[in-house]
Amino acid sequence: DGGITQSPKYLFRKEGQNVTLSCEQNLNHDAMYWYRQDPGQGLRLIYYSQIVNDFQKGDIAEGYSVSREKKESFPLTVTSAQKNPTAFYLCASSDPPGGPDTQYFGPGTRLTVL
Amino acid sequence: EDKVVQSPLSLVVHEGDTVTLNCSYEVTNFRSLLWYKQEKKAPTFLFMLTSSGIEKKSGRLSSILDKKELFSILNITATQTGDSAVYLCAAGNNRKLIWGLGTSLAVNP
């Protein structure tokens, strides 16, 4: 059963703590993306990776970090430097690289910082 | 600056009505226009359009792209309460998708 999984579905953290959101895909897609969604703001791109061991900053990368050591995995770390981390985080993947084409989304992680 | 603008921002209709959602774009190195439906969770893919004037259809939903005037429309005929959602439009270049804010559609019985 092919798809994208994100875990956890809900995450609560105290202010000042780093937290890592998981994203795994078994679609054999080369490109993966992280978005943040806030009410009334649409989807904003945090980071994207078009191939293993390579990634680029999106529009709102400050306070976030990623790694792409394996094709199927693209974890996102929300660091304590992110001023307003409470949001809905979506991971997506697409194929081929070099262009977005159709992106398929995971179910999302809702992060709340207390 | 690349941008995608959707209108209206929200819409309330009765079951059975036909609706038209609009999406205009200004994107450098434009490659594709995509429509997604989002119902309180992850967006699900509806259509991808790359050529002008060719309508894509899926059941009661259809969409068309005008690359000269830089816009796309999404039509939903005979709306049902299950069509209630946010409809997102995104324009793709050779690197990423640029997203609109979405149109929130509410279909009342």
Side-chain angles (χ1 to χ4, degrees):
Chain A
D1 208 6
I4 303 176
T5 56
Q6 290 184 244
S7 61
K9 191 172 178 180
Y10 298 97
L11 189 54
F12 297 89
R13 278 294 180 267
K14 290 183 180 177
E15 207 171 311
Q17 288 182 331
N18 289 359
V19 60
T20 297
L21 281 57
S22 167
C23 177
E24 305 275 331
Q25 54 100 357
N26 60 5
L27 300 168
N28 202 33
H29 285 172
D30 283 304
M32 297 186 74
Y33 309 82
W34 272 106
Y35 291 95
R36 169 181 172 143
Q37 189 173 36
D38 297 278
Q41 295 232 25
L43 292 173
R44 292 187 289 167
L45 183 64
I46 305 173
Y47 269 98
Y48 64 103
S49 167
Q50 293 189 333
I51 201 160
V52 176
N53 292 322
D54 187 45
F55 50 83
Q56 288 79 41
K57 291 182 180 180
D59 302 314
I60 55 163
E62 188 176 343
Y64 299 97
S65 66
V66 292
S67 62
R68 187 84 189 277
E69 296 174 5
K70 298 187 293 183
K71 186 175 184 177
E72 57 270 22
S73 178
F74 191 40
L76 173 75
T77 297
V78 184
T79 75
S80 56
Q82 168 49 234
K83 299 265 187 281
N84 211 3
T86 295
F88 186 47
Y89 290 87
L90 286 161
C91 178
S93 70
S94 71
D95 196 57
D101 294 308
T102 305
Q103 291 184 13
Y104 296 93
F105 286 84
T109 292
R110 196 166 293 278
L111 172 64
T112 302
V113 175
L114 306 169
Chain B
E1 185 186 338
D2 294 334
K3 64 179 179 181
V4 173
V5 178
Q6 292 187 246
S7 63
L9 286 181
S10 66
L11 194 52
V12 181
V13 300
H14 291 291
E15 258 190 324
D17 288 350
T18 293
V19 298
T20 298
L21 310 183
N22 304 293
C23 175
S24 65
Y25 63 91
E26 291 176 32
V27 171
T28 308
N29 297 319
F30 173 82
R31 177 163 146 159
S32 56
L33 192 292
L34 294 93
W35 286 96
Y36 286 80
K37 177 182 181 182
Q38 187 174 25
E39 298 171 89
K40 296 191 188 302
K41 45 188 180 177
T44 54
F45 171 73
L46 294 175
F47 298 111
M48 183 172 79
L49 304 149
T50 56
S51 301
S52 258
I54 299 175
E55 186 182 53
K56 289 212 172 179
K57 286 198 74 164
S58 176
R60 296 177 293 102
L61 277 65
S62 64
S63 184
I64 197 160
L65 174 66
D66 185 329
K67 290 168 77 172
K68 184 179 173 188
E69 300 297 329
L70 307 183
F71 78 91
S72 173
I73 61 171
L74 174 69
N75 278 322
I76 308 174
T77 58
T79 51
Q80 302 171 356
T81 54
D83 295 326
S84 296
V86 174
Y87 290 85
L88 297 168
C89 168
N93 59 18
N94 55 345
R95 290 191 306 119
K96 61 180 185 177
L97 292 178
I98 296 94
W99 294 83
L101 294 181
T103 293
S104 176
L105 173 66
V107 181
N108 291 331

